[in-house]
């Protein structure tokens, strides 16, 4: 396995929480962060692949008929900024 160093700056509260969780898992902070990053990469890639399969050959222009059917009305007052 090839390794690479990266200086990571975290907010103190995030680092403290990560340290606590790493301690609870019985691993170093570095191992815990590497595992968390790998887990996030897996989740993002899996969701991207799922959405790509789900979309099939759809393109943004395929949505135009649906958008054209939306009524042109003001949003409800509770949705206003």
């Amino acid at each position: 396995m090839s390794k690479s160093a990266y200086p990571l700056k975290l907010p103190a509260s995030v680092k403290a929480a990560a340290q606590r969780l790493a301690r609870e898992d019985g691993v170093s902070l570095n191992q815990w962060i590497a595992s968390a990053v790998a887990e996030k990469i897996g989740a993002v890639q899996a969701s991207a692949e799922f959405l790509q399969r789900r979309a099939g050959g759809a393109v943004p222009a395929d949505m135009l008929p649906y958008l054209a059917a939306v009524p042109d009305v003001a949003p409800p007052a509770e949705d206003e900024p």
Side-chain angles (χ1 to χ4, degrees):
M1 173 171 73
S2 176
K3 294 184 180 183
S4 178
Y6 180 79
L8 180 63
K9 296 181 182 185
L10 297 172
S13 61
V14 172
K15 183 180 178 196
Q19 285 175 315
R20 178 181 53 79
L21 292 168
R23 200 170 33 254
E24 290 174 7
D25 284 353
V27 298
S28 71
L29 177 59
N30 189 67
Q31 288 173 307
W32 194 88
I33 290 173
S35 177
V37 170
E39 186 178 320
K40 180 66 174 187
I41 289 169
V44 168
Q45 287 178 339
S47 64
E49 289 169 10
F50 169 80
L51 292 173
Q52 186 65 38
R53 282 192 314 272
R54 182 86 171 141
V59 293
D62 293 341
M63 289 299 297
L64 294 177
Y66 299 101
L67 292 173
V70 174
D72 188 17
V73 296
E78 61 269 12
D79 285 349
E80 290 291 336

